[in-house]
Amino acid sequence: MALGASLFVAGAAVGTVGGFALHPDPAEVTRTAQRSTPDGGGSYSQAPNGPDKEASPSVDGGVGSDDRERRTAGVKPERAPDEKSAEAREPEAERWQHNAAAMPADAGDKPRIAIVLDDMGLEVDATRDAIDLPSPITLSFLTYAETDDLHALTASARRAGHEVMAHVPMQPSSASVDPGPHALTRAMSGDAIRANLAWGLDRLSGYVGINNHMGSAATADGRTMRRLMAELDDRGLLFLDSRTTAETKAIEAAKGASVPHTERDVFLDNVKDPGAIREQLRELEALARRDGSAVAIGHPYDVTISVLADWLPEARERGVALVPISAVVQGADRRNVAALPE
């Protein structure tokens, strides 16, 4: 039900930006039948050659295989509080609440827009440029980014007033496209999903949740998504569905596991042109005014950052509230969300 005709043609051409290869998945469909704007699912990434081997299922402090299978069937096992890992516990709030960026004081009942920039950490200068944008936006750091210190970058993003997410690689529908190391796949057991997820999350800090990098095959598989949502529930994290396929089962699984969730409405920069990006932002604003909130995903391209630097203050002047992703999740309560820590 997106407004206006689409500017984009599904399937971006393979190219390079800022020294990083674009790896679009031609088979990925990134709009539901209810939304008219297609996109190509192109990814600003530098994946290594060949898929990564499945991580060892040996993990500590976890739920046993029998309990995990019961959880994926919608039955939560009885466990004492100390059976959760230390990483999954927060003293007074879920992890997503504890790490949430502060809400703008003037948000009120204004239409809410959450801007998410994926693939943070791949290129340090581009990441720092994104951090310099007016806050709050949400910066999703690719878990396998080969930056020396992702923890320092995520801490810098949070100090600037932004919210942080983990951009987790997941299996695309095309076997010829490499999503990157430790990608979550349909063939993985619940323990293997947990181990691969832990590998990526341990490289970051201060995140509120995850969204999928690629993942048209993984997110379309109900069992895989139920296993993933069981882990996010344990960790107190939210989930943003990037919607790289119309067949996604992610939101259904998130609801079943009571995981706070939302989904992408608009992709900003499949066409890396200022006019095209501004047209997508106009659509995003129209959706927010109609529905109360809307979510956009973009990338740290120079052109995207330049357009956003101008557009963000303009949108505020038009009465739009620019909010972190945690402000638009469903199935959750922000009343006791902690303020941004020092």
Side-chain angles (χ1 to χ4, degrees), residues 11-308:
V14 174
T16 58
V17 176
F20 294 95
L22 285 167
H23 297 287
D25 180 356
E28 292 192 348
V29 181
T30 54
R31 280 281 185 181
T32 64
Q34 290 77 26
R35 303 189 195 279
S36 64
T37 305
D39 60 76
S43 175
Y44 179 84
S45 65
Q46 189 178 36
N49 293 327
D52 192 61
K53 293 182 180 179
E54 182 174 307
S56 168
S58 176
V59 290
D60 57 4
V63 182
S65 297
D66 290 342
D67 278 349
R68 188 153 307 283
E69 291 307 317
R70 293 178 68 225
R71 290 174 58 78
T72 62
V75 180
K76 292 188 179 183
E78 293 294 329
R79 294 182 298 170
D82 61 359
E83 288 183 14
K84 279 192 175 185
S85 67
E87 184 177 276
R89 292 195 302 266
E90 289 296 346
E92 298 178 353
E94 293 291 287
R95 181 169 292 271
W96 75 269
Q97 293 174 312
H98 182 78
N99 290 335
M103 280 280 290
D106 61 348
D109 294 328
K110 296 176 181 177
R112 295 183 176 188
I113 287 178
I115 302 286
V116 180
L117 295 185
D118 282 349
D119 298 349
M120 291 293 108
L122 283 177
E123 207 285 318
V124 173
D125 288 342
T127 299
R128 289 174 176 160
D129 288 343
I131 291 172
D132 287 341
L133 286 169
S135 65
I137 61 174
T138 302
L139 304 180
S140 192
F141 286 76
L142 197 56
T143 55
Y144 63 75
E146 295 181 358
T147 306
D148 287 340
D149 195 350
L150 283 175
H151 291 280
L153 286 173
T154 53
S156 178
R158 298 184 74 220
R159 284 194 300 270
H162 302 304
E163 205 155 78
V164 169
M165 294 187 69
H167 197 33
V168 175
M170 301 187 195
Q171 180 184 357
S173 51
S174 173
S176 65
V177 176
D178 180 10
H182 293 273
L184 309 185
T185 72
R186 296 166 63 142
M188 286 181 177
S189 67
D191 286 342
I193 286 175
R194 184 177 193 273
N196 279 273
L197 182 65
W199 178 89
L201 294 182
D202 286 349
R203 303 187 73 235
L204 308 174
S205 58
Y207 44 81
V208 296
I210 77 169
N211 69 321
N212 53 294
H213 170 65
M214 300 188 185
S216 55
T219 59
D221 185 66
R223 184 175 66 173
T224 301
M225 288 298 99
R226 289 190 296 273
R227 287 171 167 170
L228 172 61
M229 297 308 161
E231 299 305 330
L232 298 184
D233 180 40
D234 275 352
R235 291 171 177 269
L237 299 175
L238 62 82
F239 182 76
L240 165 64
D241 188 353
S242 302
R243 294 205 67 87
T244 55
T245 175
E247 305 303 319
T248 178
K249 302 295 192 299
I251 296 301
E252 176 185 346
K255 290 177 180 177
S258 299
V259 169
H261 58 273
T262 190
E263 59 188 347
R264 184 270 309 164
D265 294 294
V266 172
F267 270 125
L268 294 179
D269 49 15
N270 281 349
V271 177
K272 293 180 284 296
D273 171 80
I277 294 170
R278 279 193 167 269
E279 182 61 29
Q280 289 300 91
L281 287 166
R282 281 190 287 272
E283 179 182 348
L284 179 71
E285 186 172 337
L287 288 171
R289 293 186 183 280
R290 186 192 71 189
D291 299 335
S293 66
V295 177
I297 290 180
H299 300 85
Y301 304 138
D302 289 345
V303 62
T304 305
I305 291 173
S306 177
V307 170
L308 286 175

